[in-house]
Amino acid sequence: MAGHSKWANIQHRKGRQDAARSKLFSKLSKEITVAAKMGDPDPDKNPRLRMAVKEAKSNSVPKDVIERAIKKSAAGEGDNYDEIRYEGYGPGGVAVIVEAMTDNKNRTASTVRSLFTKNGGNLGETGSVGFMFDRKGEILYPLSAGDLDTVFEAALEAGAEDVEDTDEGYVIVTADTDLASVAGELEEKLGEAETVKLVWRPNITTELDLEGMQKLMKLVDALEDDDDVQRVTTNFEASDEVLEQL
């Protein structure tokens, strides 16, 4: 029975991973569709589409899925999505920004509000927490891209604002309006980046203990599980000890 139980657990976990992968593909395809509809269907002439395609490729979305999404948009087919940003507070007073793409604003607003309420949060007005974040461009490179001095110099010359050195690689921060140009210049010097995207970076943070983090993660997981939600950003801060326990 133990063997059977272990196999069932593995199957369940694989099922969850497959579902999460399918959901991610769907969200990335949606971003490609919107980017292609808003601008030129040629990624070389459309910075947002180019970034969306790069993000999709870095998450192993098949080439034919990417091309199909672009072709449908160019032909005027596919669903029309509205981009909406929701802002609110999670457990422990943590600021939360939810970015969504939806073909039904009422449904999405109702779902997001309900998820905040059920998970100890409170949905606010647009702008209620936005001042705690800055809109920035973020480019990720692996450590194999070069040593810190090489990457820092290349980023500085390309017009980046900052370079953060982490255990996993380099995080290059740019002004939101400079992301496409900096990414293009860095690609010539350092090769293709792992990801290139616009993000919300907190300028004010709220510290949480283990219990607070567990409650917050429950809210974030519930939001990210919704098909209309593209991205969830929070301004939590937690000690290494809390993160290890989590």
Side-chain angles (χ1 to χ4, degrees), residues 1-232:
M1 284 303 294
H4 171 76
S5 172
K6 184 182 177 189
W7 170 246
N9 286 340
I10 290 169
Q11 286 293 88
H12 176 65
R13 196 156 61 239
K14 184 179 185 304
R16 281 184 62 86
Q17 287 171 345
D18 287 347
R21 186 178 169 84
S22 171
K23 204 173 279 286
L24 178 64
F25 280 14
S26 171
K27 292 185 182 196
L28 292 168
S29 295
K30 202 183 278 190
E31 169 62 25
I32 289 169
T33 300
V34 170
K37 276 193 175 180
M38 286 178 68
D40 196 292
D42 179 357
D44 290 334
K45 297 174 185 171
N46 182 337
R48 178 171 174 177
L49 178 57
R50 187 162 63 247
M51 286 187 279
V53 168
K54 193 182 284 285
E55 181 80 356
K57 283 180 177 174
S58 72
N59 282 284
S60 307
V61 176
K63 192 178 176 184
D64 63 315
V65 173
I66 294 171
E67 289 175 351
R68 192 158 58 241
I70 294 173
K71 279 177 185 170
K72 280 177 78 172
S73 300
E77 299 170 5
D79 296 320
N80 289 314
Y81 298 108
D82 291 306
E83 294 182 90
I84 308 173
R85 186 172 86 241
Y86 301 97
E87 299 180 19
Y89 288 94
V94 170
V96 182
I97 291 180
V98 180
E99 295 171 89
M101 282 185 188
T102 179
D103 54 2
N104 185 326
K105 291 182 185 178
N106 292 336
R107 178 193 67 221
T108 308
S110 173
T111 302
V112 170
R113 185 177 300 280
S114 171
L115 289 172
F116 265 89
T117 305
K118 283 179 186 172
N119 292 281
N122 182 30
L123 187 63
E125 299 293 320
T126 301
S128 59
V129 304
F131 65 93
M132 299 187 206
F133 298 83
D134 297 315
R135 191 64 161 160
K136 294 290 181 183
E138 195 175 85
I139 305 165
L140 304 185
Y141 270 97
L143 293 170
S144 57
D147 60 31
L148 179 59
D149 287 345
T150 302
V151 174
F152 191 84
E153 191 177 328
L156 213 61
E157 286 176 1
E161 292 182 350
D162 194 16
V163 178
E164 296 167 3
D165 182 17
T166 73
D167 291 341
E168 286 81 37
Y170 304 104
V171 181
I172 298 165
V173 183
T174 77
D176 56 346
T177 51
D178 294 341
L179 179 59
S181 61
V182 173
E185 209 167 309
L186 284 175
E187 193 165 327
E188 290 178 19
K189 295 176 180 175
L190 302 174
E192 193 166 359
E194 285 185 336
T195 64
V196 178
K197 59 187 174 185
L198 286 166
V199 297
W200 294 98
R201 289 174 70 92
N203 53 49
I204 298 171
T205 57
T206 300
E207 184 146 7
L208 291 178
D209 58 14
L210 179 60
E211 187 183 350
M213 279 300 300
Q214 287 169 334
K215 288 178 179 175
L216 177 64
M217 287 301 103
K218 200 176 167 193
L219 169 63
V220 171
D221 286 347
L223 286 166
E224 287 185 337
D225 206 38
D226 185 73
D227 289 339
D228 294 335
V229 173
Q230 291 290 100
R231 211 165 286 111
V232 180

